[in-house]
Amino acid sequence: MLRVLAVDDEKPLLEELLYLLRSDPRVRSAEGASDATEALRRVTRALESGPDGPDGIDVVFLDIHMAGLTGLDIARLLAGFARPPLIVFVTAHEGFAVQAFDLKAVDYVLKPVRPERLAEAVRRTCAQLGRAEEVPVAASAPAGPPAVPAQRPPAPEAAVAERGPEQIAVELGGVTRFVAIADIAYVEAQGDYARLHTDEGSHLVRIPLSTLEERWGARGFVRIHRRHLVALARIDELRLDSGSTTVRVGAAELQVSRRHSRELRDLLMRHATG
């Protein structure tokens, strides 16, 4: 069972997060800290106590935007310890996901926090610590509003799984919406994530570019670079300049690697004459 420290400088949000965490039977204890100083003091005491000590902490659920040090600053400081606790970021801002996972975060949960999404973060934490995921039979919920019944959440890929053959689910601000694959012009690799670019904007999903390449090859998506996957039908222009190849996809100009250049030209010719 997990020992958790939750950090957020907005008291109502911290209390709600603590309530949800304490409602999960896999969480042994959940304490709160309302600023970076308090959080670092609490973690330092836990590290001095040792992993099996009375003040031990397994994971820190950490807000990003706080007065003084940010959650990213705290995570960088904790990374300097020999055996730091795991980190789960809980934030209202989508744009820091890549930085968060560069810091080896277990998960990145968007506010407003949904109970089932938080349960998934707990599951991932248990998995990383090598602990059993089964929910104990006897577990008491905290006083207050009735807790959401504990259920085994879907696997991580389910959050970005395709909805039938034509759509992919994306999560933003705690809301899941479905984006038509036909609306995606190109995909950009961002670590273990991929950013889907459409005419309306972009969406970050937790799935590698290589996986999307395998899934969407039959839908006309081609790899042009280690960082980019492009819908063949959305390429407006192919440009050769001094041995360098680029394509224009809407307003974006993307580099084509040498290893993909000839194959792309052949595909475009067949597409044009087909």
Side-chain angles (χ1 to χ4, degrees):
M1 296 178 70
L2 298 178
R3 297 162 297 176
V4 179
L5 177 67
V7 186
D8 198 314
D9 62 353
E10 296 186 59
K11 188 175 180 180
L13 296 181
L14 177 60
E15 290 178 349
E16 174 67 12
L17 179 58
L18 287 171
Y19 173 77
L20 293 173
L21 287 167
R22 290 166 181 163
S23 298
D24 193 314
R26 294 166 294 187
V27 175
R28 181 204 302 179
S29 63
E31 298 182 15
S34 57
D35 58 50
T37 301
E38 184 182 356
L40 290 171
R41 185 185 302 117
R42 178 67 184 82
V43 172
T44 300
R45 190 165 74 244
L47 294 173
E48 290 173 348
S49 174
D52 299 319
D55 297 316
I57 295 173
D58 299 307
V59 58
V60 180
F61 281 73
L62 187 57
D63 187 23
I64 287 183
H65 279 291
M66 297 186 292
L69 293 177
T70 68
L72 294 171
D73 293 330
I74 295 173
R76 292 187 186 101
L77 289 171
L78 294 183
F81 290 99
R83 297 183 65 181
L86 300 178
I87 298 291
V88 172
F89 285 102
V90 183
T91 177
H93 303 277
E94 179 190 14
F96 296 98
V98 174
Q99 295 178 58
F101 285 98
D102 283 344
L103 291 167
K104 311 301 182 186
V106 175
D107 208 345
Y108 191 90
V109 180
L110 290 172
K111 298 177 181 178
V113 178
R114 292 181 290 116
E116 61 272 23
R117 183 63 184 86
L118 190 66
E120 170 63 11
V122 171
R123 188 201 67 80
R124 292 180 185 178
T125 302
C126 290
Q128 186 143 332
L129 289 170
R131 300 183 183 179
E133 295 179 18
E134 288 78 9
V135 175
V137 174
S140 57
V148 174
Q151 298 178 347
R152 179 166 178 161
E157 291 78 8
V160 292
E162 292 172 29
R163 188 193 196 188
E166 304 301 334
Q167 294 178 311
I168 183 169
V170 299
E171 187 176 286
L172 178 62
V175 176
T176 300
R177 57 173 296 197
F178 294 90
V179 174
I181 295 173
D183 291 340
I184 299 169
Y186 68 97
V187 186
E188 180 182 6
Q190 294 191 342
D192 291 333
Y193 278 64
R195 184 169 291 278
L196 314 177
H197 292 266
T198 71
D199 293 338
E200 305 301 323
S202 68
H203 308 277
L204 194 67
V205 294
R206 188 174 188 175
I207 188 168
L209 190 69
S210 57
T211 301
L212 292 179
E213 180 183 9
E214 292 176 8
R215 290 183 183 179
W216 293 355
R219 293 189 175 93
F221 282 81
V222 295
R223 191 72 169 259
I224 65 167
H225 191 273
R226 62 183 177 84
R227 290 195 58 198
H228 291 115
L229 184 69
V230 175
L232 196 66
R234 299 295 293 270
I235 295 177
D236 299 311
E237 182 179 275
L238 175 71
R239 180 177 298 174
L240 305 176
D241 186 12
S242 301
S244 175
T245 305
T246 59
V247 292
R248 183 171 60 81
V249 183
E253 186 170 323
L254 308 175
Q255 187 73 35
V256 181
S257 66
R258 288 187 177 182
R259 62 177 294 217
H260 293 102
S261 181
R262 178 180 293 277
E263 179 186 5
L264 178 62
R265 290 199 299 268
D266 291 344
L267 285 171
L268 286 171
M269 288 298 293
R270 289 201 297 270
H271 183 75
T273 57

